[in-house]
Amino acid sequence: AQRVTQPEKLLSVFKGAPVELKCNYSYSGSPELFWYVQYSRQRLQLLLRHISRESIKGFTADLNKGETSFHLKKPFAQEEDSAMYYCALGTGNKLTFGGGTRVLVKP
Amino acid sequence: GAVVSQHPSRVICKSGTSVKIECRSLDFQATTMFWYRQFPKQSLMLMATSNEGSKATYEQGVEKDKFLINHASLTLSTLTVTSAHPEDSSFYICSAMIGGSGNTIYFGEGSWLTVV
């Protein structure tokens, strides 16, 4: 069965510091990985997906099949990045979510 | 972008009654919609996958007779919590997938259910 693990429940960083959110997955097939973000009082929205290999709002994530990881990184965190971040594994039409990591960027 | 709307955003019901939550895709047709449940400070748990015109596919451990899902049109899916109990109190989120777009999924704003 598929599983997504986000080991950190809370990450607190200062503005301008790098931030890395860890995500590990287990799935026997070919994975499709996503990062979703939920800002305060807003709905969940897609941040990026591994097949796009793009940078959104300065965030990047690389799929490492050897380590079964899809860590999210941003070199210089901004206060507006404070939010809840969820890593998700797509299998067929389904999404399996990790437990989420709350990011708090302090001024 | 595509918009998914849930109604009501908050509902309080008495134990033993039933409550319906609607999920609408406002500007696109959704062949597939999903219902999630989220407990405080926990992740989203997929409850069921709803396909227009057919029966929903429930995840293991989800009681289909308790959580009735109907997807009667390409823009509307409903979740009815029957004979609600306080332990059914939770945040329910729906999402909708645009047909033929792979895994492009849009989420509703969620509905808080409190059973008293």
Side-chain angles (χ1 to χ4, degrees), chain A residues 36 91-97, chain B residues 4 6 22-24 30-37 44-52 56-57 59 69 71 77-79 92-99 102-108:
Chain A
Y36 281 84
T91 57
N93 290 339
K94 295 182 183 180
L95 285 175
T96 300
F97 286 88
Chain B
V4 175
Q6 280 183 244
E22 294 185 346
C23 177
R24 293 181 185 273
T31 53
T32 305
M33 289 183 169
F34 307 87
W35 286 96
Y36 294 85
R37 184 172 180 177
L44 287 78
M45 299 287 292
L46 179 64
M47 297 174 66
T49 302
S50 169
N51 293 296
E52 186 265 338
T57 302
E59 295 299 299
I69 291 172
H71 194 162
S77 176
T78 60
L79 168 68
Y92 293 89
I93 303 172
C94 77
S95 67
M97 185 172 72
I98 294 179
N103 278 336
T104 302
I105 295 174
Y106 297 92
F107 284 82

mmCIF file of all heavy atoms in Angstrom, chain A residues 36 91-97, chain B residues 4 6 22-24 30-37 44-52 56-57 59 69 71 77-79 92-99 102-108:
data_model
loop_
_atom_site.group_PDB
_atom_site.id
_atom_site.type_symbol
_atom_site.label_atom_id
_atom_site.label_comp_id
_atom_site.label_asym_id
_atom_site.label_seq_id
_atom_site.Cartn_x
_atom_site.Cartn_y
_atom_site.Cartn_z
ATOM 1 N N TYR A 36 1.237 20.217 -1.993
ATOM 2 C CA TYR A 36 0.094 21.108 -1.865
ATOM 3 C C TYR A 36 0.359 22.059 -0.700
ATOM 4 O O TYR A 36 1.027 21.706 0.273
ATOM 5 C CB TYR A 36 -1.191 20.309 -1.595
ATOM 6 C CG TYR A 36 -1.783 19.678 -2.827
ATOM 7 C CD1 TYR A 36 -1.321 18.451 -3.289
ATOM 8 C CD2 TYR A 36 -2.805 20.317 -3.524
ATOM 9 C CE1 TYR A 36 -1.867 17.872 -4.426
ATOM 10 C CE2 TYR A 36 -3.356 19.747 -4.660
ATOM 11 C CZ TYR A 36 -2.877 18.528 -5.099
ATOM 12 O OH TYR A 36 -3.416 17.955 -6.224
ATOM 13 N N THR A 91 -1.673 8.013 -7.300
ATOM 14 C CA THR A 91 -1.712 6.677 -7.881
ATOM 15 C C THR A 91 -3.051 6.524 -8.581
ATOM 16 O O THR A 91 -4.092 6.550 -7.941
ATOM 17 C CB THR A 91 -1.557 5.588 -6.809
ATOM 18 O OG1 THR A 91 -2.585 5.758 -5.816
ATOM 19 C CG2 THR A 91 -0.210 5.676 -6.132
ATOM 20 N N GLY A 92 -3.016 6.396 -9.893
ATOM 21 C CA GLY A 92 -4.284 6.427 -10.620
ATOM 22 C C GLY A 92 -4.925 7.772 -10.416
ATOM 23 O O GLY A 92 -4.296 8.814 -10.631
ATOM 24 N N ASN A 93 -6.169 7.766 -9.970
ATOM 25 C CA ASN A 93 -6.855 9.031 -9.696
ATOM 26 C C ASN A 93 -6.738 9.480 -8.253
ATOM 27 O O ASN A 93 -7.215 10.549 -7.890
ATOM 28 C CB ASN A 93 -8.345 8.904 -10.036
ATOM 29 C CG ASN A 93 -8.571 8.801 -11.516
ATOM 30 O OD1 ASN A 93 -7.726 9.194 -12.301
ATOM 31 N ND2 ASN A 93 -9.703 8.254 -11.907
ATOM 32 N N LYS A 94 -6.113 8.681 -7.422
ATOM 33 C CA LYS A 94 -6.134 8.956 -5.995
ATOM 34 C C LYS A 94 -4.914 9.737 -5.548
ATOM 35 O O LYS A 94 -3.843 9.639 -6.134
ATOM 36 C CB LYS A 94 -6.167 7.654 -5.208
ATOM 37 C CG LYS A 94 -7.412 6.833 -5.392
ATOM 38 C CD LYS A 94 -7.338 5.598 -4.515
ATOM 39 C CE LYS A 94 -8.540 4.709 -4.714
ATOM 40 N NZ LYS A 94 -8.465 3.499 -3.866
ATOM 41 N N LEU A 95 -5.099 10.498 -4.494
ATOM 42 C CA LEU A 95 -4.011 11.173 -3.830
ATOM 43 C C LEU A 95 -3.920 10.669 -2.400
ATOM 44 O O LEU A 95 -4.909 10.653 -1.678
ATOM 45 C CB LEU A 95 -4.235 12.690 -3.807
ATOM 46 C CG LEU A 95 -4.024 13.463 -5.101
ATOM 47 C CD1 LEU A 95 -4.414 14.917 -4.904
ATOM 48 C CD2 LEU A 95 -2.581 13.367 -5.566
ATOM 49 N N THR A 96 -2.726 10.276 -2.018
ATOM 50 C CA THR A 96 -2.465 9.901 -0.632
ATOM 51 C C THR A 96 -1.604 10.998 -0.027
ATOM 52 O O THR A 96 -0.526 11.300 -0.552
ATOM 53 C CB THR A 96 -1.737 8.553 -0.547
ATOM 54 O OG1 THR A 96 -2.545 7.541 -1.160
ATOM 55 C CG2 THR A 96 -1.471 8.178 0.906
ATOM 56 N N PHE A 97 -2.066 11.579 1.063
ATOM 57 C CA PHE A 97 -1.379 12.724 1.659
ATOM 58 C C PHE A 97 -0.489 12.324 2.829
ATOM 59 O O PHE A 97 -0.795 11.387 3.578
ATOM 60 C CB PHE A 97 -2.407 13.739 2.166
ATOM 61 C CG PHE A 97 -3.075 14.518 1.064
ATOM 62 C CD1 PHE A 97 -4.218 14.026 0.457
ATOM 63 C CD2 PHE A 97 -2.561 15.728 0.639
ATOM 64 C CE1 PHE A 97 -4.836 14.730 -0.568
ATOM 65 C CE2 PHE A 97 -3.167 16.434 -0.382
ATOM 66 C CZ PHE A 97 -4.303 15.934 -0.984
ATOM 67 N N VAL B 4 -13.887 24.948 -6.967
ATOM 68 C CA VAL B 4 -14.748 23.941 -6.355
ATOM 69 C C VAL B 4 -15.343 24.553 -5.101
ATOM 70 O O VAL B 4 -14.607 25.100 -4.266
ATOM 71 C CB VAL B 4 -13.949 22.671 -6.004
ATOM 72 C CG1 VAL B 4 -14.816 21.666 -5.264
ATOM 73 C CG2 VAL B 4 -13.375 22.045 -7.276
ATOM 74 N N GLN B 6 -17.917 24.222 -1.712
ATOM 75 C CA GLN B 6 -18.615 23.340 -0.789
ATOM 76 C C GLN B 6 -19.640 24.132 0.007
ATOM 77 O O GLN B 6 -19.429 25.294 0.358
ATOM 78 C CB GLN B 6 -17.641 22.697 0.203
ATOM 79 C CG GLN B 6 -16.886 21.526 -0.353
ATOM 80 C CD GLN B 6 -15.983 20.870 0.667
ATOM 81 O OE1 GLN B 6 -14.768 20.866 0.517
ATOM 82 N NE2 GLN B 6 -16.580 20.302 1.715
ATOM 83 N N GLU B 22 -22.695 19.560 0.142
ATOM 84 C CA GLU B 22 -22.622 19.606 -1.315
ATOM 85 C C GLU B 22 -21.247 20.045 -1.784
ATOM 86 O O GLU B 22 -20.590 20.868 -1.154
ATOM 87 C CB GLU B 22 -23.657 20.593 -1.870
ATOM 88 C CG GLU B 22 -25.094 20.187 -1.660
ATOM 89 C CD GLU B 22 -26.056 21.130 -2.320
ATOM 90 O OE1 GLU B 22 -25.634 22.239 -2.717
ATOM 91 O OE2 GLU B 22 -27.244 20.775 -2.451
ATOM 92 N N CYS B 23 -20.853 19.511 -2.909
ATOM 93 C CA CYS B 23 -19.595 19.883 -3.550
ATOM 94 C C CYS B 23 -19.883 20.165 -5.016
ATOM 95 O O CYS B 23 -20.386 19.287 -5.731
ATOM 96 C CB CYS B 23 -18.589 18.744 -3.411
ATOM 97 S SG CYS B 23 -17.012 19.033 -4.231
ATOM 98 N N ARG B 24 -19.597 21.389 -5.430
ATOM 99 C CA ARG B 24 -19.884 21.774 -6.806
ATOM 100 C C ARG B 24 -18.630 22.252 -7.530
ATOM 101 O O ARG B 24 -17.817 22.988 -6.952
ATOM 102 C CB ARG B 24 -20.899 22.914 -6.853
ATOM 103 C CG ARG B 24 -22.283 22.540 -6.374
ATOM 104 C CD ARG B 24 -23.241 23.716 -6.463
ATOM 105 N NE ARG B 24 -24.541 23.378 -5.891
ATOM 106 C CZ ARG B 24 -25.521 22.797 -6.562
ATOM 107 N NH1 ARG B 24 -25.362 22.513 -7.840
ATOM 108 N NH2 ARG B 24 -26.663 22.516 -5.976
ATOM 109 N N ALA B 30 -16.693 17.882 -13.748
ATOM 110 C CA ALA B 30 -15.824 16.974 -13.007
ATOM 111 C C ALA B 30 -16.357 15.553 -13.120
ATOM 112 O O ALA B 30 -17.375 15.221 -12.533
ATOM 113 C CB ALA B 30 -15.741 17.391 -11.551
ATOM 114 N N THR B 31 -15.657 14.745 -13.856
ATOM 115 C CA THR B 31 -16.097 13.354 -13.969
ATOM 116 C C THR B 31 -15.839 12.595 -12.670
ATOM 117 O O THR B 31 -16.527 11.639 -12.357
ATOM 118 C CB THR B 31 -15.347 12.648 -15.116
ATOM 119 O OG1 THR B 31 -13.941 12.825 -14.922
ATOM 120 C CG2 THR B 31 -15.737 13.230 -16.455
ATOM 121 N N THR B 32 -14.856 13.050 -11.945
ATOM 122 C CA THR B 32 -14.501 12.378 -10.698
ATOM 123 C C THR B 32 -14.366 13.392 -9.581
ATOM 124 O O THR B 32 -13.723 14.428 -9.752
ATOM 125 C CB THR B 32 -13.176 11.607 -10.842
ATOM 126 O OG1 THR B 32 -13.263 10.706 -11.954
ATOM 127 C CG2 THR B 32 -12.875 10.816 -9.585
ATOM 128 N N MET B 33 -14.990 13.089 -8.467
ATOM 129 C CA MET B 33 -14.849 13.909 -7.267
ATOM 130 C C MET B 33 -14.423 13.013 -6.121
ATOM 131 O O MET B 33 -14.693 11.804 -6.125
ATOM 132 C CB MET B 33 -16.163 14.624 -6.933
ATOM 133 C CG MET B 33 -16.522 15.746 -7.906
ATOM 134 S SD MET B 33 -18.027 16.610 -7.401
ATOM 135 C CE MET B 33 -17.994 18.013 -8.495
ATOM 136 N N PHE B 34 -13.773 13.600 -5.159
ATOM 137 C CA PHE B 34 -13.235 12.852 -4.030
ATOM 138 C C PHE B 34 -13.703 13.499 -2.731
ATOM 139 O O PHE B 34 -13.810 14.724 -2.640
ATOM 140 C CB PHE B 34 -11.696 12.871 -4.062
ATOM 141 C CG PHE B 34 -11.103 12.411 -5.362
ATOM 142 C CD1 PHE B 34 -10.898 13.300 -6.400
ATOM 143 C CD2 PHE B 34 -10.758 11.085 -5.548
ATOM 144 C CE1 PHE B 34 -10.357 12.883 -7.608
ATOM 145 C CE2 PHE B 34 -10.206 10.655 -6.748
ATOM 146 C CZ PHE B 34 -10.012 11.549 -7.778
ATOM 147 N N TRP B 35 -13.923 12.673 -1.751
ATOM 148 C CA TRP B 35 -14.290 13.160 -0.424
ATOM 149 C C TRP B 35 -13.229 12.729 0.569
ATOM 150 O O TRP B 35 -12.846 11.557 0.633
ATOM 151 C CB TRP B 35 -15.656 12.622 -0.005
ATOM 152 C CG TRP B 35 -16.786 13.295 -0.725
ATOM 153 C CD1 TRP B 35 -17.421 12.857 -1.848
ATOM 154 C CD2 TRP B 35 -17.385 14.550 -0.383
ATOM 155 N NE1 TRP B 35 -18.384 13.767 -2.235
ATOM 156 C CE2 TRP B 35 -18.394 14.809 -1.346
ATOM 157 C CE3 TRP B 35 -17.192 15.485 0.637
ATOM 158 C CZ2 TRP B 35 -19.192 15.943 -1.328
ATOM 159 C CZ3 TRP B 35 -17.987 16.617 0.664
ATOM 160 C CH2 TRP B 35 -18.974 16.836 -0.307
ATOM 161 N N TYR B 36 -12.768 13.734 1.344
ATOM 162 C CA TYR B 36 -11.755 13.499 2.359
ATOM 163 C C TYR B 36 -12.315 13.901 3.725
ATOM 164 O O TYR B 36 -13.218 14.725 3.834
ATOM 165 C CB TYR B 36 -10.500 14.346 2.098
ATOM 166 C CG TYR B 36 -9.738 14.002 0.844
ATOM 167 C CD1 TYR B 36 -10.104 14.537 -0.385
ATOM 168 C CD2 TYR B 36 -8.632 13.164 0.884
ATOM 169 C CE1 TYR B 36 -9.409 14.230 -1.540
ATOM 170 C CE2 TYR B 36 -7.916 12.864 -0.263
ATOM 171 C CZ TYR B 36 -8.322 13.403 -1.471
ATOM 172 O OH TYR B 36 -7.618 13.101 -2.601
ATOM 173 N N ARG B 37 -11.670 13.343 4.715
ATOM 174 C CA ARG B 37 -11.980 13.717 6.085
ATOM 175 C C ARG B 37 -10.670 14.112 6.756
ATOM 176 O O ARG B 37 -9.633 13.476 6.525
ATOM 177 C CB ARG B 37 -12.591 12.521 6.811
ATOM 178 C CG ARG B 37 -13.049 12.818 8.204
ATOM 179 C CD ARG B 37 -13.802 11.610 8.750
ATOM 180 N NE ARG B 37 -14.256 11.874 10.108
ATOM 181 C CZ ARG B 37 -14.992 11.035 10.821
ATOM 182 N NH1 ARG B 37 -15.360 9.869 10.302
ATOM 183 N NH2 ARG B 37 -15.359 11.349 12.028
ATOM 184 N N LEU B 44 -5.245 14.651 5.537
ATOM 185 C CA LEU B 44 -6.487 14.334 4.851
ATOM 186 C C LEU B 44 -6.538 12.829 4.607
ATOM 187 O O LEU B 44 -5.573 12.236 4.117
ATOM 188 C CB LEU B 44 -6.549 15.035 3.489
ATOM 189 C CG LEU B 44 -6.790 16.533 3.463
ATOM 190 C CD1 LEU B 44 -5.538 17.308 3.803
ATOM 191 C CD2 LEU B 44 -7.320 16.970 2.107
ATOM 192 N N MET B 45 -7.677 12.254 4.927
ATOM 193 C CA MET B 45 -7.870 10.827 4.689
ATOM 194 C C MET B 45 -8.944 10.661 3.613
ATOM 195 O O MET B 45 -10.062 11.131 3.775
ATOM 196 C CB MET B 45 -8.327 10.138 5.974
ATOM 197 C CG MET B 45 -7.343 10.233 7.109
ATOM 198 S SD MET B 45 -5.907 9.178 6.855
ATOM 199 C CE MET B 45 -6.663 7.574 6.999
ATOM 200 N N LEU B 46 -8.593 9.996 2.535
ATOM 201 C CA LEU B 46 -9.551 9.783 1.467
ATOM 202 C C LEU B 46 -10.651 8.851 1.957
ATOM 203 O O LEU B 46 -10.372 7.765 2.476
ATOM 204 C CB LEU B 46 -8.865 9.191 0.237
ATOM 205 C CG LEU B 46 -9.761 8.897 -0.967
ATOM 206 C CD1 LEU B 46 -10.345 10.192 -1.528
ATOM 207 C CD2 LEU B 46 -8.980 8.157 -2.051
ATOM 208 N N MET B 47 -11.902 9.300 1.788
ATOM 209 C CA MET B 47 -13.026 8.476 2.185
ATOM 210 C C MET B 47 -13.568 7.684 0.996
ATOM 211 O O MET B 47 -13.840 6.499 1.097
ATOM 212 C CB MET B 47 -14.155 9.353 2.738
ATOM 213 C CG MET B 47 -13.802 10.120 3.978
ATOM 214 S SD MET B 47 -15.117 11.239 4.459
ATOM 215 C CE MET B 47 -16.408 10.085 4.904
ATOM 216 N N ALA B 48 -13.745 8.389 -0.119
ATOM 217 C CA ALA B 48 -14.370 7.737 -1.267
ATOM 218 C C ALA B 48 -14.098 8.522 -2.536
ATOM 219 O O ALA B 48 -13.825 9.722 -2.494
ATOM 220 C CB ALA B 48 -15.871 7.594 -1.054
ATOM 221 N N THR B 49 -14.187 7.803 -3.627
ATOM 222 C CA THR B 49 -14.068 8.391 -4.960
ATOM 223 C C THR B 49 -15.427 8.313 -5.618
ATOM 224 O O THR B 49 -16.050 7.240 -5.654
ATOM 225 C CB THR B 49 -13.033 7.631 -5.794
ATOM 226 O OG1 THR B 49 -11.777 7.667 -5.114
ATOM 227 C CG2 THR B 49 -12.885 8.250 -7.162
ATOM 228 N N SER B 50 -15.870 9.435 -6.127
ATOM 229 C CA SER B 50 -17.218 9.522 -6.673
ATOM 230 C C SER B 50 -17.149 9.780 -8.171
ATOM 231 O O SER B 50 -16.547 10.753 -8.607
ATOM 232 C CB SER B 50 -17.946 10.681 -5.969
ATOM 233 O OG SER B 50 -19.148 10.997 -6.608
ATOM 234 N N ASN B 51 -17.724 8.885 -8.943
ATOM 235 C CA ASN B 51 -17.764 9.047 -10.390
ATOM 236 C C ASN B 51 -19.190 9.345 -10.838
ATOM 237 O O ASN B 51 -20.138 8.693 -10.398
ATOM 238 C CB ASN B 51 -17.259 7.782 -11.084
ATOM 239 C CG ASN B 51 -15.791 7.551 -10.826
ATOM 240 O OD1 ASN B 51 -14.946 8.353 -11.232
ATOM 241 N ND2 ASN B 51 -15.468 6.477 -10.158
ATOM 242 N N GLU B 52 -19.322 10.305 -11.709
ATOM 243 C CA GLU B 52 -20.639 10.727 -12.179
ATOM 244 C C GLU B 52 -21.402 9.558 -12.792
ATOM 245 O O GLU B 52 -20.877 8.844 -13.646
ATOM 246 C CB GLU B 52 -20.481 11.857 -13.197
ATOM 247 C CG GLU B 52 -21.792 12.462 -13.638
ATOM 248 C CD GLU B 52 -22.327 11.839 -14.918
ATOM 249 O OE1 GLU B 52 -21.534 11.265 -15.673
ATOM 250 O OE2 GLU B 52 -23.541 11.941 -15.152
ATOM 251 N N ALA B 56 -20.193 5.226 -5.819
ATOM 252 C CA ALA B 56 -18.903 5.666 -5.295
ATOM 253 C C ALA B 56 -18.064 4.479 -4.866
ATOM 254 O O ALA B 56 -18.591 3.424 -4.496
ATOM 255 C CB ALA B 56 -19.124 6.603 -4.110
ATOM 256 N N THR B 57 -16.775 4.658 -4.927
ATOM 257 C CA THR B 57 -15.831 3.639 -4.458
ATOM 258 C C THR B 57 -15.301 4.086 -3.112
ATOM 259 O O THR B 57 -14.645 5.129 -3.018
ATOM 260 C CB THR B 57 -14.668 3.488 -5.449
ATOM 261 O OG1 THR B 57 -15.175 3.146 -6.734
ATOM 262 C CG2 THR B 57 -13.723 2.400 -4.970
ATOM 263 N N GLU B 59 -13.109 3.818 0.437
ATOM 264 C CA GLU B 59 -11.851 3.309 0.962
ATOM 265 C C GLU B 59 -12.142 2.316 2.091
ATOM 266 O O GLU B 59 -13.209 2.337 2.715
ATOM 267 C CB GLU B 59 -10.981 4.448 1.465
ATOM 268 C CG GLU B 59 -10.530 5.398 0.374
ATOM 269 C CD GLU B 59 -9.699 4.720 -0.690
ATOM 270 O OE1 GLU B 59 -8.620 4.174 -0.358
ATOM 271 O OE2 GLU B 59 -10.136 4.738 -1.862
ATOM 272 N N ILE B 69 -22.787 8.842 -0.690
ATOM 273 C CA ILE B 69 -22.258 9.761 -1.694
ATOM 274 C C ILE B 69 -23.044 9.615 -2.983
ATOM 275 O O ILE B 69 -23.252 8.506 -3.474
ATOM 276 C CB ILE B 69 -20.758 9.496 -1.928
ATOM 277 C CG1 ILE B 69 -19.975 9.906 -0.690
ATOM 278 C CG2 ILE B 69 -20.256 10.255 -3.157
ATOM 279 C CD1 ILE B 69 -18.515 9.507 -0.720
ATOM 280 N N HIS B 71 -23.356 11.342 -6.928
ATOM 281 C CA HIS B 71 -22.711 12.184 -7.950
ATOM 282 C C HIS B 71 -23.611 12.180 -9.166
ATOM 283 O O HIS B 71 -23.322 11.543 -10.173
ATOM 284 C CB HIS B 71 -21.329 11.595 -8.255
ATOM 285 C CG HIS B 71 -20.440 12.522 -9.027
ATOM 286 N ND1 HIS B 71 -19.071 12.338 -9.077
ATOM 287 C CD2 HIS B 71 -20.692 13.611 -9.768
ATOM 288 C CE1 HIS B 71 -18.528 13.276 -9.832
ATOM 289 N NE2 HIS B 71 -19.483 14.068 -10.256
ATOM 290 N N SER B 77 -21.551 16.744 -6.429
ATOM 291 C CA SER B 77 -21.498 15.514 -5.644
ATOM 292 C C SER B 77 -21.936 15.873 -4.232
ATOM 293 O O SER B 77 -21.656 16.973 -3.755
ATOM 294 C CB SER B 77 -20.074 14.937 -5.614
ATOM 295 O OG SER B 77 -20.008 13.803 -4.772
ATOM 296 N N THR B 78 -22.653 14.962 -3.602
ATOM 297 C CA THR B 78 -23.097 15.219 -2.234
ATOM 298 C C THR B 78 -22.650 14.104 -1.313
ATOM 299 O O THR B 78 -22.579 12.938 -1.703
ATOM 300 C CB THR B 78 -24.628 15.353 -2.155
ATOM 301 O OG1 THR B 78 -25.234 14.128 -2.614
ATOM 302 C CG2 THR B 78 -25.128 16.508 -2.989
ATOM 303 N N LEU B 79 -22.344 14.497 -0.092
ATOM 304 C CA LEU B 79 -21.993 13.561 0.972
ATOM 305 C C LEU B 79 -23.043 13.719 2.062
ATOM 306 O O LEU B 79 -23.236 14.817 2.577
ATOM 307 C CB LEU B 79 -20.605 13.874 1.535
ATOM 308 C CG LEU B 79 -20.221 13.177 2.835
ATOM 309 C CD1 LEU B 79 -20.060 11.684 2.613
ATOM 310 C CD2 LEU B 79 -18.925 13.758 3.403
ATOM 311 N N TYR B 92 -14.677 18.043 6.545
ATOM 312 C CA TYR B 92 -14.844 17.244 5.331
ATOM 313 C C TYR B 92 -14.486 18.103 4.122
ATOM 314 O O TYR B 92 -14.970 19.228 3.969
ATOM 315 C CB TYR B 92 -16.281 16.726 5.218
ATOM 316 C CG TYR B 92 -16.623 15.724 6.289
ATOM 317 C CD1 TYR B 92 -17.138 16.136 7.519
ATOM 318 C CD2 TYR B 92 -16.409 14.362 6.091
ATOM 319 C CE1 TYR B 92 -17.434 15.219 8.513
ATOM 320 C CE2 TYR B 92 -16.704 13.439 7.074
ATOM 321 C CZ TYR B 92 -17.214 13.872 8.286
ATOM 322 O OH TYR B 92 -17.491 12.951 9.271
ATOM 323 N N ILE B 93 -13.629 17.556 3.283
ATOM 324 C CA ILE B 93 -13.139 18.298 2.116
ATOM 325 C C ILE B 93 -13.437 17.499 0.855
ATOM 326 O O ILE B 93 -13.235 16.280 0.816
ATOM 327 C CB ILE B 93 -11.612 18.518 2.202
ATOM 328 C CG1 ILE B 93 -11.242 19.241 3.496
ATOM 329 C CG2 ILE B 93 -11.104 19.307 1.007
ATOM 330 C CD1 ILE B 93 -9.735 19.307 3.738
ATOM 331 N N CYS B 94 -13.917 18.182 -0.151
ATOM 332 C CA CYS B 94 -14.092 17.516 -1.431
ATOM 333 C C CYS B 94 -13.082 18.072 -2.429
ATOM 334 O O CYS B 94 -12.547 19.173 -2.258
ATOM 335 C CB CYS B 94 -15.508 17.668 -1.973
ATOM 336 S SG CYS B 94 -15.855 19.276 -2.699
ATOM 337 N N SER B 95 -12.814 17.289 -3.434
ATOM 338 C CA SER B 95 -11.978 17.759 -4.528
ATOM 339 C C SER B 95 -12.555 17.218 -5.822
ATOM 340 O O SER B 95 -13.311 16.255 -5.824
ATOM 341 C CB SER B 95 -10.518 17.325 -4.356
ATOM 342 O OG SER B 95 -10.400 15.918 -4.464
ATOM 343 N N ALA B 96 -12.200 17.866 -6.901
ATOM 344 C CA ALA B 96 -12.730 17.474 -8.198
ATOM 345 C C ALA B 96 -11.610 17.433 -9.218
ATOM 346 O O ALA B 96 -10.707 18.272 -9.193
ATOM 347 C CB ALA B 96 -13.812 18.448 -8.644
ATOM 348 N N MET B 97 -11.701 16.450 -10.085
ATOM 349 C CA MET B 97 -10.679 16.299 -11.105
ATOM 350 C C MET B 97 -11.278 16.647 -12.459
ATOM 351 O O MET B 97 -12.364 16.184 -12.799
ATOM 352 C CB MET B 97 -10.172 14.863 -11.134
ATOM 353 C CG MET B 97 -9.012 14.631 -12.078
ATOM 354 S SD MET B 97 -8.309 12.996 -11.895
ATOM 355 C CE MET B 97 -9.592 12.006 -12.636
ATOM 356 N N ILE B 98 -10.552 17.464 -13.199
ATOM 357 C CA ILE B 98 -11.006 17.787 -14.547
ATOM 358 C C ILE B 98 -10.753 16.581 -15.422
ATOM 359 O O ILE B 98 -9.644 16.037 -15.442
ATOM 360 C CB ILE B 98 -10.265 19.016 -15.095
ATOM 361 C CG1 ILE B 98 -10.643 20.257 -14.289
ATOM 362 C CG2 ILE B 98 -10.582 19.213 -16.562
ATOM 363 C CD1 ILE B 98 -9.937 21.516 -14.749
ATOM 364 N N GLY B 99 -11.749 16.160 -16.139
ATOM 365 C CA GLY B 99 -11.635 14.976 -16.952
ATOM 366 C C GLY B 99 -10.526 15.077 -17.975
ATOM 367 O O GLY B 99 -10.371 16.092 -18.631
ATOM 368 N N GLY B 102 -5.278 14.154 -16.311
ATOM 369 C CA GLY B 102 -4.368 13.445 -15.425
ATOM 370 C C GLY B 102 -4.748 13.701 -14.001
ATOM 371 O O GLY B 102 -5.899 13.547 -13.620
ATOM 372 N N ASN B 103 -3.817 14.123 -13.201
ATOM 373 C CA ASN B 103 -4.115 14.317 -11.796
ATOM 374 C C ASN B 103 -4.251 15.783 -11.420
ATOM 375 O O ASN B 103 -3.810 16.215 -10.367
ATOM 376 C CB ASN B 103 -3.024 13.670 -10.944
ATOM 377 C CG ASN B 103 -3.265 12.193 -10.797
ATOM 378 O OD1 ASN B 103 -4.391 11.734 -10.923
ATOM 379 N ND2 ASN B 103 -2.219 11.443 -10.567
ATOM 380 N N THR B 104 -4.840 16.610 -12.270
ATOM 381 C CA THR B 104 -5.101 17.995 -11.894
ATOM 382 C C THR B 104 -6.367 18.011 -11.062
ATOM 383 O O THR B 104 -7.454 17.793 -11.579
ATOM 384 C CB THR B 104 -5.255 18.883 -13.134
ATOM 385 O OG1 THR B 104 -4.074 18.790 -13.921
ATOM 386 C CG2 THR B 104 -5.456 20.329 -12.707
ATOM 387 N N ILE B 105 -6.188 18.255 -9.786
ATOM 388 C CA ILE B 105 -7.291 18.154 -8.840
ATOM 389 C C ILE B 105 -7.426 19.476 -8.109
ATOM 390 O O ILE B 105 -6.445 20.055 -7.655
ATOM 391 C CB ILE B 105 -7.025 17.009 -7.840
ATOM 392 C CG1 ILE B 105 -7.018 15.663 -8.594
ATOM 393 C CG2 ILE B 105 -8.070 16.994 -6.740
ATOM 394 C CD1 ILE B 105 -6.621 14.487 -7.741
ATOM 395 N N TYR B 106 -8.664 19.929 -7.974
ATOM 396 C CA TYR B 106 -8.943 21.187 -7.292
ATOM 397 C C TYR B 106 -9.774 20.904 -6.046
ATOM 398 O O TYR B 106 -10.676 20.060 -6.065
ATOM 399 C CB TYR B 106 -9.687 22.141 -8.235
ATOM 400 C CG TYR B 106 -8.864 22.507 -9.447
ATOM 401 C CD1 TYR B 106 -8.961 21.765 -10.623
ATOM 402 C CD2 TYR B 106 -7.964 23.559 -9.409
ATOM 403 C CE1 TYR B 106 -8.186 22.069 -11.730
ATOM 404 C CE2 TYR B 106 -7.191 23.878 -10.518
ATOM 405 C CZ TYR B 106 -7.302 23.130 -11.666
ATOM 406 O OH TYR B 106 -6.519 23.429 -12.758
ATOM 407 N N PHE B 107 -9.465 21.623 -5.000
ATOM 408 C CA PHE B 107 -10.089 21.357 -3.713
ATOM 409 C C PHE B 107 -11.141 22.397 -3.354
ATOM 410 O O PHE B 107 -11.013 23.580 -3.677
ATOM 411 C CB PHE B 107 -9.024 21.326 -2.610
ATOM 412 C CG PHE B 107 -8.222 20.066 -2.625
ATOM 413 C CD1 PHE B 107 -7.156 19.918 -3.488
ATOM 414 C CD2 PHE B 107 -8.548 19.015 -1.777
ATOM 415 C CE1 PHE B 107 -6.415 18.747 -3.517
ATOM 416 C CE2 PHE B 107 -7.814 17.836 -1.797
ATOM 417 C CZ PHE B 107 -6.750 17.704 -2.669
ATOM 418 N N GLY B 108 -12.160 21.919 -2.646
ATOM 419 C CA GLY B 108 -13.132 22.823 -2.061
ATOM 420 C C GLY B 108 -12.572 23.413 -0.779
ATOM 421 O O GLY B 108 -11.500 23.030 -0.312
#
